[in-house]
Amino acid sequence: MVTLLNANAARPHYVGADVGGTKVRTLVTDDSGEVVWSSTEPTEHDVAGQIARQVRALGPGRVRALGVGVPGVVAPDTGVVSRAPNVPGLDGLPLAERLTAVLGVPVAVENDIAAAALAEQRLRGSAGSTLAVVAAGTGIGLGVVHDGRPIRGETGAAGEIADLPIGSGRLLEDAVSVAGLLRSYRFLGGDEGRSVRDLLAAADEGEPLAALALTEYTADLAQGVAMVAAVLDPAWFVLTGGIGAHPRVLAEVREHLGPPLSARVIPSALGPDSPAHGAVLLAFRAAGVPLP
């Protein structure tokens, strides 16, 4: 059994798990929303079993509800997860149903970026408005909430913006991805062996090829933001992800967009933990209790 920090065993606890291709980030809060335990583990092949093991380790009767963010589409009617190629065994799995049966507690499952958007909106106290999280890293994804509720679409695939056409026969993720950024850099004559982290550092230092490749990337990212703005008109765009969270990327996207839209593009207030915090909020909702 794990030891919960500053926790009263008599109080209910809520678990939020953010499932990624390489790791599972888990937060446990008490009923006030205070984080009393956290963990980061490599993602296992049986991710449902992994999450169930973490919940059981907290002790019998201590967990009131569980929320999970996943990198894929969650069908609104069946809860079946799809389009999650980076997590073995997740595609085709009714994850909430499986975990509820195993653990005997309410479980809610949501797209991880939508979960992040829930947390970002809750922190800003902007319920009643529309907020979008744009996650730019290995690929590109979008999560949108309005008045504290995710916008899922008919099949749960709202926010799958990777396939948006951006001209010249390209899709958004062809350009706005790790592979797209590195391909652009190498096409310009850059070092074949350079990583994205090194490229970003080189751009910050003023290396011309790295700076040009990044400018092309941020121009395409800004185009994606502008397209979402034209359709949904969010009050805020929160940039996250391994590339999107970089200060230079934020600054360049704002520059490409120009006012007034540029003022609505902001950094994450919660950083990489925003999906896990959003998953905790899902747990509170699954239990039918007011959010902290």
Side-chain angles (χ1 to χ4, degrees):
M1 185 183 301
V2 301
T3 300
L4 303 182
L5 301 176
N6 304 320
N8 182 336
R11 297 175 72 172
H13 292 86
Y14 301 84
V15 179
D18 171 29
V19 177
T22 60
K23 65 181 183 295
V24 176
R25 176 66 171 162
T26 304
L27 302 178
V28 179
T29 76
D30 60 20
D31 54 356
S32 74
E34 180 183 358
V35 175
V36 295
W37 185 75
S38 65
S39 77
T40 304
E41 295 182 356
T43 305
E44 299 175 4
H45 182 77
D46 178 13
V47 72
Q50 180 179 8
I51 294 170
R53 171 180 52 76
Q54 289 183 333
V55 172
R56 289 193 184 108
L58 297 170
R62 302 187 82 171
V63 173
R64 174 78 178 272
L66 166 67
V68 184
V70 296
V73 172
V74 183
D77 51 348
T78 65
V80 171
V81 179
S82 62
R83 298 179 68 171
N86 296 324
V87 182
L90 198 54
D91 255 353
L93 183 67
L95 185 58
E97 179 182 309
R98 178 75 56 85
L99 288 169
T100 297
V102 169
L103 296 171
V105 300
V107 179
V109 178
E110 185 63 75
N111 172 267
D112 55 350
I113 309 175
L118 283 172
E120 295 283 351
Q121 187 178 63
R122 180 70 180 173
L123 186 66
R124 287 178 170 79
S126 52
S129 65
T130 303
L131 178 144
V133 169
V134 179
T138 303
I140 181 72
L142 174 75
V144 182
V145 293
H146 175 73
D147 196 16
R149 298 287 176 181
I151 296 176
R152 298 186 179 93
E154 180 66 22
T155 65
E160 297 294 311
I161 60 173
D163 296 334
L164 283 175
I166 57 172
S168 303
R170 299 180 306 153
L171 303 178
L172 185 60
E173 196 166 82
D174 292 336
V176 185
S177 60
V178 165
L181 177 56
L182 291 176
R183 183 170 54 248
S184 175
Y185 176 62
R186 291 162 186 164
F187 178 79
L188 293 169
D191 182 0
E192 289 280 340
R194 175 161 275 173
S195 68
V196 165
R197 179 177 294 182
D198 291 341
L199 189 157
L200 291 171
D204 282 341
E205 294 168 2
E207 181 187 300
L209 294 182
L212 179 56
L214 189 61
T215 295
E216 292 178 352
Y217 173 98
T218 54
D220 288 324
L221 177 53
Q223 183 178 348
V225 169
M227 287 191 286
V228 173
V231 176
L232 296 175
D233 193 26
W236 302 106
F237 284 92
V238 180
L239 279 191
T240 67
I243 301 176
H246 193 278
R248 185 185 180 101
V249 171
L250 174 66
E252 289 196 9
V253 167
R254 284 172 166 168
E255 184 175 353
H256 289 305
L257 291 170
L261 184 55
S262 58
R264 291 152 59 185
V265 180
I266 57 177
S268 169
L270 293 166
D273 269 351
S274 57
H277 282 285
V280 169
L281 297 179
L282 293 173
F284 274 85
R285 285 186 173 163
V289 299
L291 298 181

mmCIF file of all heavy atoms in Angstrom, residues 182 185 191 193-205 207 210:
data_model
loop_
_atom_site.group_PDB
_atom_site.id
_atom_site.type_symbol
_atom_site.label_atom_id
_atom_site.label_comp_id
_atom_site.label_asym_id
_atom_site.label_seq_id
_atom_site.Cartn_x
_atom_site.Cartn_y
_atom_site.Cartn_z
ATOM 1 N N LEU A 182 11.801 18.196 -38.349
ATOM 2 C CA LEU A 182 13.127 17.682 -38.689
ATOM 3 C C LEU A 182 13.295 17.541 -40.203
ATOM 4 O O LEU A 182 14.380 17.819 -40.743
ATOM 5 C CB LEU A 182 13.355 16.332 -38.008
ATOM 6 C CG LEU A 182 13.495 16.373 -36.489
ATOM 7 C CD1 LEU A 182 13.628 14.968 -35.926
ATOM 8 C CD2 LEU A 182 14.686 17.233 -36.069
ATOM 9 N N TYR A 185 14.014 20.961 -41.601
ATOM 10 C CA TYR A 185 15.370 21.369 -41.250
ATOM 11 C C TYR A 185 16.408 20.674 -42.134
ATOM 12 O O TYR A 185 17.343 21.314 -42.639
ATOM 13 C CB TYR A 185 15.618 21.045 -39.783
ATOM 14 C CG TYR A 185 17.013 21.317 -39.289
ATOM 15 C CD1 TYR A 185 17.548 22.601 -39.288
ATOM 16 C CD2 TYR A 185 17.808 20.273 -38.807
ATOM 17 C CE1 TYR A 185 18.828 22.847 -38.822
ATOM 18 C CE2 TYR A 185 19.091 20.510 -38.333
ATOM 19 C CZ TYR A 185 19.595 21.786 -38.341
ATOM 20 O OH TYR A 185 20.871 22.030 -37.880
ATOM 21 N N ASP A 191 21.779 19.509 -40.109
ATOM 22 C CA ASP A 191 22.434 18.285 -39.651
ATOM 23 C C ASP A 191 21.439 17.133 -39.545
ATOM 24 O O ASP A 191 20.430 17.228 -38.842
ATOM 25 C CB ASP A 191 23.085 18.561 -38.284
ATOM 26 C CG ASP A 191 23.835 17.365 -37.727
ATOM 27 O OD1 ASP A 191 23.865 16.313 -38.387
ATOM 28 O OD2 ASP A 191 24.384 17.492 -36.613
ATOM 29 N N GLY A 193 21.674 14.379 -37.964
ATOM 30 C CA GLY A 193 21.621 13.732 -36.661
ATOM 31 C C GLY A 193 21.070 14.588 -35.543
ATOM 32 O O GLY A 193 21.025 14.142 -34.387
ATOM 33 N N ARG A 194 20.623 15.776 -35.845
ATOM 34 C CA ARG A 194 20.177 16.688 -34.786
ATOM 35 C C ARG A 194 18.777 16.321 -34.299
ATOM 36 O O ARG A 194 17.879 16.024 -35.074
ATOM 37 C CB ARG A 194 20.203 18.120 -35.291
ATOM 38 C CG ARG A 194 19.659 19.155 -34.318
ATOM 39 C CD ARG A 194 20.124 20.546 -34.687
ATOM 40 N NE ARG A 194 21.453 20.823 -34.128
ATOM 41 C CZ ARG A 194 22.150 21.918 -34.403
ATOM 42 N NH1 ARG A 194 21.678 22.811 -35.248
ATOM 43 N NH2 ARG A 194 23.320 22.108 -33.853
ATOM 44 N N SER A 195 18.584 16.370 -32.982
ATOM 45 C CA SER A 195 17.275 16.103 -32.381
ATOM 46 C C SER A 195 16.457 17.386 -32.354
ATOM 47 O O SER A 195 16.977 18.493 -32.559
ATOM 48 C CB SER A 195 17.447 15.581 -30.954
ATOM 49 O OG SER A 195 17.964 16.611 -30.113
ATOM 50 N N VAL A 196 15.166 17.241 -32.069
ATOM 51 C CA VAL A 196 14.299 18.419 -31.963
ATOM 52 C C VAL A 196 14.758 19.314 -30.819
ATOM 53 O O VAL A 196 14.775 20.549 -30.956
ATOM 54 C CB VAL A 196 12.829 17.990 -31.762
ATOM 55 C CG1 VAL A 196 11.993 19.162 -31.282
ATOM 56 C CG2 VAL A 196 12.248 17.465 -33.057
ATOM 57 N N ARG A 197 15.148 18.708 -29.706
ATOM 58 C CA ARG A 197 15.622 19.516 -28.576
ATOM 59 C C ARG A 197 16.835 20.346 -28.979
ATOM 60 O O ARG A 197 16.915 21.545 -28.672
ATOM 61 C CB ARG A 197 15.974 18.612 -27.400
ATOM 62 C CG ARG A 197 16.492 19.379 -26.189
ATOM 63 C CD ARG A 197 16.759 18.454 -25.026
ATOM 64 N NE ARG A 197 15.528 17.854 -24.528
ATOM 65 C CZ ARG A 197 15.473 17.032 -23.492
ATOM 66 N NH1 ARG A 197 16.569 16.696 -22.848
ATOM 67 N NH2 ARG A 197 14.312 16.530 -23.103
ATOM 68 N N ASP A 198 17.761 19.730 -29.696
ATOM 69 C CA ASP A 198 18.952 20.461 -30.150
ATOM 70 C C ASP A 198 18.580 21.533 -31.165
ATOM 71 O O ASP A 198 19.157 22.626 -31.174
ATOM 72 C CB ASP A 198 19.962 19.495 -30.765
ATOM 73 C CG ASP A 198 20.592 18.569 -29.739
ATOM 74 O OD1 ASP A 198 20.540 18.887 -28.533
ATOM 75 O OD2 ASP A 198 21.135 17.521 -30.142
ATOM 76 N N LEU A 199 17.620 21.215 -32.029
ATOM 77 C CA LEU A 199 17.192 22.187 -33.037
ATOM 78 C C LEU A 199 16.584 23.420 -32.371
ATOM 79 O O LEU A 199 16.886 24.559 -32.769
ATOM 80 C CB LEU A 199 16.197 21.523 -33.986
ATOM 81 C CG LEU A 199 15.777 22.287 -35.244
ATOM 82 C CD1 LEU A 199 15.285 21.305 -36.312
ATOM 83 C CD2 LEU A 199 14.669 23.303 -34.971
ATOM 84 N N LEU A 200 15.739 23.204 -31.369
ATOM 85 C CA LEU A 200 15.135 24.337 -30.670
ATOM 86 C C LEU A 200 16.190 25.193 -29.984
ATOM 87 O O LEU A 200 16.124 26.432 -30.001
ATOM 88 C CB LEU A 200 14.109 23.836 -29.653
ATOM 89 C CG LEU A 200 12.833 23.214 -30.220
ATOM 90 C CD1 LEU A 200 12.016 22.554 -29.117
ATOM 91 C CD2 LEU A 200 11.993 24.243 -30.958
ATOM 92 N N ALA A 201 17.169 24.518 -29.369
ATOM 93 C CA ALA A 201 18.251 25.261 -28.715
ATOM 94 C C ALA A 201 19.057 26.057 -29.737
ATOM 95 O O ALA A 201 19.433 27.215 -29.492
ATOM 96 C CB ALA A 201 19.154 24.296 -27.946
ATOM 97 N N ALA A 202 19.294 25.446 -30.910
ATOM 98 C CA ALA A 202 20.052 26.146 -31.957
ATOM 99 C C ALA A 202 19.282 27.346 -32.483
ATOM 100 O O ALA A 202 19.861 28.410 -32.755
ATOM 101 C CB ALA A 202 20.372 25.171 -33.092
ATOM 102 N N ALA A 203 17.963 27.191 -32.618
ATOM 103 C CA ALA A 203 17.148 28.324 -33.065
ATOM 104 C C ALA A 203 17.217 29.466 -32.056
ATOM 105 O O ALA A 203 17.315 30.642 -32.432
ATOM 106 C CB ALA A 203 15.701 27.871 -33.282
ATOM 107 N N ASP A 204 17.194 29.123 -30.757
ATOM 108 C CA ASP A 204 17.302 30.148 -29.723
ATOM 109 C C ASP A 204 18.637 30.884 -29.797
ATOM 110 O O ASP A 204 18.728 32.074 -29.454
ATOM 111 C CB ASP A 204 17.157 29.510 -28.336
ATOM 112 C CG ASP A 204 15.710 29.195 -27.993
ATOM 113 O OD1 ASP A 204 14.806 29.774 -28.627
ATOM 114 O OD2 ASP A 204 15.486 28.352 -27.094
ATOM 115 N N GLU A 205 19.654 30.161 -30.235
ATOM 116 C CA GLU A 205 20.993 30.751 -30.327
ATOM 117 C C GLU A 205 21.218 31.482 -31.642
ATOM 118 O O GLU A 205 22.293 32.045 -31.870
ATOM 119 C CB GLU A 205 22.045 29.657 -30.148
ATOM 120 C CG GLU A 205 22.049 29.046 -28.745
ATOM 121 C CD GLU A 205 22.884 27.779 -28.660
ATOM 122 O OE1 GLU A 205 23.491 27.399 -29.696
ATOM 123 O OE2 GLU A 205 22.911 27.157 -27.580
ATOM 124 N N GLU A 207 20.994 30.174 -34.857
ATOM 125 C CA GLU A 207 21.498 29.433 -36.016
ATOM 126 C C GLU A 207 20.506 29.585 -37.164
ATOM 127 O O GLU A 207 19.328 29.241 -37.027
ATOM 128 C CB GLU A 207 21.677 27.960 -35.670
ATOM 129 C CG GLU A 207 22.228 27.156 -36.846
ATOM 130 C CD GLU A 207 22.247 25.665 -36.573
ATOM 131 O OE1 GLU A 207 22.923 25.254 -35.602
ATOM 132 O OE2 GLU A 207 21.571 24.931 -37.327
ATOM 133 N N ALA A 210 18.236 26.424 -38.386
ATOM 134 C CA ALA A 210 17.300 26.000 -37.336
ATOM 135 C C ALA A 210 16.201 27.043 -37.158
ATOM 136 O O ALA A 210 15.019 26.695 -37.016
ATOM 137 C CB ALA A 210 18.049 25.787 -36.024
#
